[in-house]
Amino acid sequence: LQTRMQSLQPDPKAQYRSVYEALKKIVLTEGFWRPLRGINVTMLGAGPAHAMYFACYEKMKKSLSDTIQHGGNSHLANGIAGSVATLLHDAVMNPAEVVKQRMQMFNSPYKSVLACIRTVQKTEGFGAFYRSYTTQLTMNVPFQAIHFITYEFMQEQINPHREYNPRSHIVSGAIAGAVAAAATTPLDVCKTLLNTQENMALTSVNISGHLSGMVNAFKTVYQLGGISGYFRGVQARVIYQMPSTAIAWSVYEFFKYFLTKHKLEKRT
């Protein structure tokens, strides 16, 4: 839904006024499973990407907090740790995101994940899978900095003793995801344009070939939609991110609690 709603020059058959209308129209005209196209490639990359992401975050947060605030909770440490963890996470997830978004576009020519990978590799080269990597980082570094700082701040407010409390992890995770998602929507619109290389959009502003780079994407989005163009799909993005970050944090906190408890039991 987010990819479709961020389309800058959509086909007349793929124009939507709201998230609900988009979902209803896609299901009725393209089939029940259409909104989930390309999700298998995302799931394949998500496991290893998230494992590296949380391991790096936990290690860096501890080291930096010890240095900056002598073991206390440092918002600066949380932000830096989240930003560095993003570099590893996005190196795995960027190609998966390119494939997913291309498969989700209206009238996508790709029949399967493998067909999409082969065609993109053959016609645009390996670089196409990382064309939006710098944009992804430019977006995700502030996203994750805001996300981690907000999560840790919320935990200080509703779970000051930092005990294992599933409800507090879900609430903190959802709020952190919503705040970070809303703040970084303009960057996400640019990333979608770079990933999908929308022909109708690029032709309408006389761009031939492939659009590359953050600055070019920003200019093109402004040419096509003005200031409001930067906030296309903000509602879909927030709705998508809230459950995603709530689930990620609650699962992470559960395993952290489970493994720490198991380690302590073995020692005693």
Side-chain angles (χ1 to χ4, degrees):
L1 292 186
Q2 187 183 321
T3 301
R4 293 284 187 95
M5 292 187 80
Q6 285 180 346
S7 176
L8 294 159
Q9 290 283 317
D11 187 286
K13 292 175 187 169
Q15 289 178 349
Y16 317 108
R17 283 188 297 270
S18 68
V19 173
Y20 173 72
E21 191 208 339
L23 184 60
K24 187 180 170 186
K25 206 169 177 181
I26 291 166
V27 168
L28 288 174
T29 59
E30 300 172 55
F32 181 77
W33 298 108
R34 188 68 170 109
L36 297 176
R37 272 202 91 189
I39 201 165
N40 50 349
V41 72
T42 308
M43 288 169 72
L44 200 67
H50 274 76
M52 289 191 292
Y53 171 69
F54 278 115
C56 177
Y57 171 70
E58 196 62 40
K59 182 71 179 166
M60 281 207 71
K61 181 181 82 165
K62 193 176 184 304
S63 304
L64 289 169
S65 290
D66 287 344
T67 308
I68 298 167
Q69 212 159 306
H70 305 295
N73 181 37
S74 164
H75 293 308
L76 179 62
N78 299 335
I80 295 169
S83 302
V84 175
T86 305
L87 298 174
L88 292 173
H89 177 270
D90 287 0
V92 176
M93 288 306 291
N94 203 83
E97 184 77 1
V98 171
V99 174
K100 184 196 81 173
Q101 289 194 317
R102 293 213 181 203
M103 290 186 73
Q104 287 177 344
M105 290 300 285
F106 183 73
N107 276 344
S108 172
Y110 311 109
K111 302 288 178 221
S112 68
V113 167
L114 277 176
C116 181
I117 293 168
R118 283 197 197 108
T119 308
V120 173
Q121 166 70 33
K122 199 174 175 182
T123 58
E124 298 176 46
F126 181 75
F129 295 108
Y130 282 95
R131 195 177 282 128
S132 66
Y133 184 57
T134 50
T135 309
Q136 180 90 330
L137 288 178
T138 310
M139 179 185 78
N140 276 355
V141 166
F143 176 93
Q144 297 301 357
I146 296 165
H147 171 208
F148 282 106
I149 289 167
T150 307
Y151 178 81
E152 298 288 357
F153 172 77
M154 287 303 301
Q155 283 291 285
E156 277 183 347
Q157 305 310 306
I158 62 176
N159 186 17
H161 299 297
R162 301 310 298 263
E163 294 162 344
Y164 175 62
N165 182 334
R167 190 179 294 175
S168 85
H169 303 317
I170 290 168
V171 171
S172 299
I175 291 170
V179 170
T184 55
T185 297
L187 295 158
D188 196 44
V189 173
C190 295
K191 185 199 77 172
T192 297
L193 182 61
L194 285 169
N195 275 351
T196 57
Q197 299 289 320
E198 266 185 86
N199 286 330
M200 285 176 76
L202 299 183
T203 306
S204 69
V205 286
N206 299 318
I207 294 173
S208 57
H210 300 301
L211 182 72
S212 63
M214 184 73 174
V215 176
N216 290 334
F218 253 94
K219 284 179 189 169
T220 308
V221 171
Y222 186 76
Q223 279 177 279
L224 290 160
I227 296 294
S228 63
Y230 292 118
F231 289 92
R232 288 185 73 96
V234 64
Q235 189 188 2
R237 182 162 159 76
V238 169
I239 290 168
Y240 167 76
Q241 284 296 345
M242 282 180 79
S244 171
T245 47
I247 291 164
W249 276 111
S250 54
V251 171
Y252 169 67
E253 293 283 8
F254 168 75
F255 279 104
K256 186 178 163 185
Y257 165 76
F258 176 77
L259 294 169
T260 308
K261 188 184 169 195
H262 184 65
K263 201 180 274 184
L264 285 168
E265 281 172 358
K266 277 182 84 176
R267 279 182 194 163
T268 53

